[in-house]
Amino acid sequence: VSDHVDIIEVVEWTPEWTGRFHEVAGLIRKALGSYALRIDHIGSTAITGLPAKPVVDIQISVETIEPAEILVGKMTAIGCVFRPENPHLTKLYFREPDGYKRTHIHMRACGGWHEQQALLFRDYLRTHAEEHAPYADLKRSLAVRFRENRAAYTEGKNEHIWGIIQRADHWALRTGWKSGAPDA
């Protein structure tokens, strides 16, 4: 058991996050080849101008996550760390290879609700800058309040995130939103 405390910090957006995404996504693309139907930069670091924790989130969309052995084997071969204790049964979860900054890698079935929701959330926030300040303010206040408690920080964002998702859903219905080309 580590004595390391994971301090939560929300920082200003930086284009470095896009570069970090492309670097790791390139490794993943080479490792998975046609297994990866899409590789996308998701989460707050994917939204220009939105302050975030400096953790890049990558979503890999595959035909199916079962059986997982082949996909896990290909990812661990490039040094990604598989986290089998992940409680979300709709995804396989990995962390970055050694030597890379913190990256959360989510592998989900293409077309599934959670895969599409992550893309819709990102696309909506990319096109609705008026949503940034309230979300950033909430994240900053939660980061101060729950500086060493990631679960409480995440839980504190839930109600706000669901509000964004509801507005994003209405936007998707009005605009005929479809996930565009993958990021990598």
Side-chain angles (χ1 to χ4, degrees):
V1 176
S2 171
D3 289 336
H4 172 74
V5 175
D6 193 9
I7 301 297
I8 297 167
E9 180 183 23
V10 174
V11 299
E12 293 303 312
W13 185 87
T14 173
E16 174 195 335
W17 293 336
T18 303
R20 285 173 45 198
F21 161 76
H22 283 292
E23 188 177 0
V24 177
L27 290 174
I28 293 168
R29 172 60 65 202
K30 286 179 187 165
L32 291 179
S34 62
Y35 282 102
L37 304 177
R38 304 181 59 99
I39 301 175
D40 291 284
H41 189 181
I42 61 168
S44 293
T45 61
I47 301 154
T48 301
L50 183 62
K53 295 188 318 294
V55 177
V56 170
D57 283 284
I58 296 176
Q59 178 170 269
I60 307 164
S61 301
V62 295
E63 189 174 329
T64 178
I65 60 171
E66 294 298 333
E69 294 78 21
I70 292 170
L71 298 168
V72 170
K74 289 181 175 296
M75 292 292 288
T76 57
I78 59 168
C80 290
V81 178
F82 178 52
R83 295 291 179 93
E85 70 279 5
N86 160 54
H88 301 265
L89 299 180
T90 61
K91 73 179 179 183
L92 301 175
Y93 176 67
F94 302 86
R95 288 285 304 274
E96 70 283 348
D98 276 348
Y100 287 84
K101 291 186 178 176
R102 186 149 179 190
T103 306
H104 295 171
I105 304 166
H106 314 265
M107 185 179 289
R108 295 181 171 114
C110 193
W113 191 87
H114 290 95
E115 183 249 4
Q116 287 293 294
Q117 179 264 321
L119 297 172
L120 174 60
F121 182 83
R122 178 204 63 195
D123 290 355
Y124 176 78
L125 285 178
R126 282 180 173 174
T127 58
H128 291 80
E130 71 278 6
E131 294 273 10
H132 293 191
Y135 188 34
D137 290 346
L138 174 64
K139 291 195 295 183
R140 285 187 188 108
S141 70
L142 291 169
V144 169
R145 186 172 168 202
F146 300 115
R147 188 166 171 77
E148 298 178 5
N149 186 339
R150 185 170 293 274
Y153 169 83
T154 301
E155 178 67 30
K157 296 187 305 178
N158 280 345
E159 185 176 338
H160 190 88
I161 288 171
W162 280 109
I164 293 172
I165 290 169
Q166 185 175 33
R167 292 186 293 280
D169 181 57
H170 293 303
W171 171 74
L173 292 170
R174 286 192 316 274
T175 62
W177 173 86
K178 291 181 178 75
S179 53
D183 293 330

